[in-house]
Amino acid sequence: MTIQLRAPSYFVLASLLDGALHGYVIIKRVEALSDGAVRLAAGSLYAVLDRLADAGLVEVVNEEIVNGRARRYYALTADGGSALQDEAARLAAAAKVVTNATARRRAVGTVVSPA
């Protein structure tokens, strides 16, 4: 499955790499993993999780009641792990064009003289 993920979806999936988490922890993990570039409010997080669940990339694996409220734990599915790995590879290849002059020269088939 090859899909292009937006930053919030990418970091939500990345936050689940080490196991199932509930919403508040996902929000904090996304912020940490993105160095503060992605900050999700609860409503935004659950919209992302709903889209990812509908796409089969995450699933609810546990639910408990804490202080009278449902706390759902989300985990990556196999397809979610694959989509995350594919997106990481795509981003790495895109970054290589900027960070690696040799790869850039190879891509355009010419030698580019430094500016």
Side-chain angles (χ1 to χ4, degrees):
M1 169 185 288
T2 302
I3 60 170
Q4 190 169 337
L5 299 170
R6 288 184 257 155
S9 296
Y10 178 82
F11 284 106
V12 166
L13 292 175
S15 74
L16 298 172
L17 275 170
D18 295 321
L21 300 172
H22 63 83
Y24 179 77
V25 177
I26 294 171
I27 287 171
K28 293 302 183 187
R29 181 83 50 93
V30 163
E31 188 173 341
L33 290 172
S34 70
D35 289 329
V38 178
R39 295 180 180 195
L40 296 171
S44 299
L45 171 66
Y46 290 107
V48 170
L49 287 168
D50 286 345
R51 282 193 302 275
L52 293 173
D54 288 346
L57 304 181
V58 300
E59 62 186 347
V60 175
V61 294
N62 190 26
E63 189 170 332
E64 62 186 10
I65 304 300
V66 177
N67 296 328
R69 299 181 72 191
R71 178 181 284 176
R72 290 181 185 90
Y73 287 80
Y74 295 84
L76 281 176
T77 63
D79 285 345
S82 294
L84 181 60
Q85 292 299 321
D86 290 348
E87 183 67 0
R90 186 189 74 76
L91 292 170
K96 192 174 182 181
V97 172
V98 174
T99 61
N100 186 316
T102 303
R104 200 168 43 253
R105 283 187 214 113
R106 208 174 299 130
V108 295
T110 60
V111 176
V112 179
S113 54

